[in-house]
Amino acid sequence: MEELKQAILNKGVVVSNGVLKVDTFLNHQIDPILIAQMGQEFVKRFNGKEITKILTIESSGIAPAFTTALELGIPFVFARKKKSLTLSSNLLSAKVHSFTKNETNEITVSKDFILEDDKILIIDDFLANGEAALGLASLVEQANATVVGIGIVIEKSFQPGREKLEQAGYQVESLARLASLENNTVRFLEEVATK
Amino acid sequence: MEELKQAILNKGVVVSNGVLKVDTFLNHQIDPILIAQMGQEFVKRFNGKEITKILTIESSGIAPAFTTALELGIPFVFARKKKSLTLSSNLLSAKVHSFTKNETNEITVSKDFILEDDKILIIDDFLANGEAALGLASLVEQANATVVGIGIVIEKSFQPGREKLEQAGYQVESLARLASLENNTVRFLEEVATK
């Protein structure tokens, strides 16, 4: 997705060989127009699939999941990263380790919102090791619902997430694929761009 | 806002005299069409004000802040509820106590995203004791920026939040105002409805 690549090149900050900071438009401050374009692009990428609901995880997945859900006119659900007092029973849960934050969270979603006949599109902001996406897919499968596919805003293609997800049988669509962040330079998978 | 009141009556669950659960359309599963209408309504309520940015708090404020920001064509920022490793310096912070969850969080936002000449509209999902809104307003004022107003999706008018915010000089606009949740019944402030 060209607009996203341009935003990454113009506004992203390479923090290390493994970490790209996109706090100006995706992870802290949010550019709603760019995120709306992401929603349109996800709908195109999964065109022809029957989707009844979108599942994401708080907090940075919410905005791109929202615009995709709005485009499709269907609801979305966001998994929580720790148990909340007002959601104390009736939960699906999975453990997810974040290598970036070096912590393991229990992610949960109410059983009320993923039903057996649901066809779920999973949306998340980053794909690195695949932990979050696999955790979300686990929630769907615990409910005996179907994962239609996994839509990712930014994929770190130099990490094993996509491979793990494809081996598990999921269609993965990423709006930007990073080949490398080495030498403080963003390189995309399909083309080489200098920053 | 009539569509919101209907959603509260049809889908809200009165958990206790103080707690309304709206997990089917606002706090866990999200109805993107209803939330888009909320954004349009917030824009109407603050019509004529110069607004440069929206500030909310993760996670349930993100969707209504998003649609308001998209309507206005401006960015929004969400405050985080705990310090994140990738946001370790350069932070504005405030302590916020949640009576519902009985916990105190430090909310933080990067100094990069609230600047002295910003005119900030604060958006949040619930107003009860005003703690979250006052914390968000504190972040804005620490940056010497201006709070244009505070937009709330659901106000518990039987709790002191609005009074505190108005005493502090802020314009408060709430899309639904709950007069009472007693006897397992939702009563709105302007009119009595039975559930």
Side-chain angles (χ1 to χ4, degrees), chain A residues 28-29, chain B residues 52-56 76-79 90 92 108-120 122 135-147:
Chain A
H28 189 22
Q29 177 170 264
Chain B
T52 62
K53 197 168 283 186
I54 289 171
L55 175 65
T56 188
F76 80 95
V77 188
F78 62 90
N90 200 31
L92 303 165
T108 60
V109 72
S110 166
K111 288 181 184 173
D112 292 341
F113 301 131
I114 303 187
L115 305 177
E116 201 170 329
D117 55 357
D118 268 328
K119 299 179 193 320
I120 307 271
I122 291 169
L136 291 168
S138 162
L139 299 178
V140 175
E141 285 166 0
Q142 286 172 48
N144 294 314
T146 306
V147 176

Side-chain angles (χ1 to χ4, degrees), chain A residues 75-122:
Chain A
F76 80 95
V77 189
F78 63 90
R80 295 175 185 276
K81 277 186 185 155
K82 58 172 185 174
K83 286 185 189 174
S84 136
L85 292 185
T86 51
L87 283 171
S88 53
S89 63
N90 200 32
L91 292 175
L92 304 165
S93 73
K95 289 210 188 311
V96 169
H97 184 73
S98 164
F99 290 90
T100 314
K101 296 187 180 178
N102 192 26
E103 62 184 25
T104 299
N105 288 295
E106 186 170 17
I107 66 170
T108 61
V109 71
S110 167
K111 288 181 184 171
D112 292 341
F113 301 131
I114 303 187
L115 305 177
E116 200 169 329
D117 55 357
D118 268 327
K119 299 179 193 320
I120 307 271
L121 175 61
I122 291 170

Side-chain angles (χ1 to χ4, degrees), chain B residues 21-92:
Chain B
K21 195 169 164 178
V22 287
D23 275 358
T24 55
F25 63 91
L26 181 61
N27 288 141
H28 189 23
Q29 177 170 263
I30 294 183
D31 174 347
I33 295 165
L34 181 61
I35 305 276
Q37 292 171 325
M38 291 177 192
Q40 292 160 3
E41 181 70 18
F42 279 130
V43 170
K44 271 189 215 163
R45 300 281 187 106
F46 292 99
N47 184 27
K49 303 267 182 179
E50 187 191 349
I51 301 168
T52 62
K53 197 168 283 186
I54 289 171
L55 175 65
T56 188
I57 184 165
E58 62 182 357
S59 288
S60 294
I62 292 177
F66 182 93
T67 55
T68 310
L70 186 61
E71 283 286 321
L72 293 171
I74 59 175
F76 80 95
V77 188
F78 62 90
R80 294 176 185 277
K81 277 186 185 155
K82 58 173 185 174
K83 285 184 190 176
S84 136
L85 291 184
T86 51
L87 282 171
S88 54
S89 63
N90 200 31
L91 293 175
L92 303 165

Side-chain angles (χ1 to χ4, degrees), chain B residues 8 14 34 53 56 58 62 68 111 117 123 125-126 129 143 164 180-181 190-191:
Chain B
I8 290 169
V14 178
L34 181 61
K53 197 168 283 186
T56 188
E58 62 182 357
I62 292 177
T68 310
K111 288 181 184 173
D117 55 357
I123 299 274
D125 59 336
F126 270 94
N129 289 284
K164 285 191 216 169
S180 162
L181 296 171
E190 298 91 340
E191 63 208 31

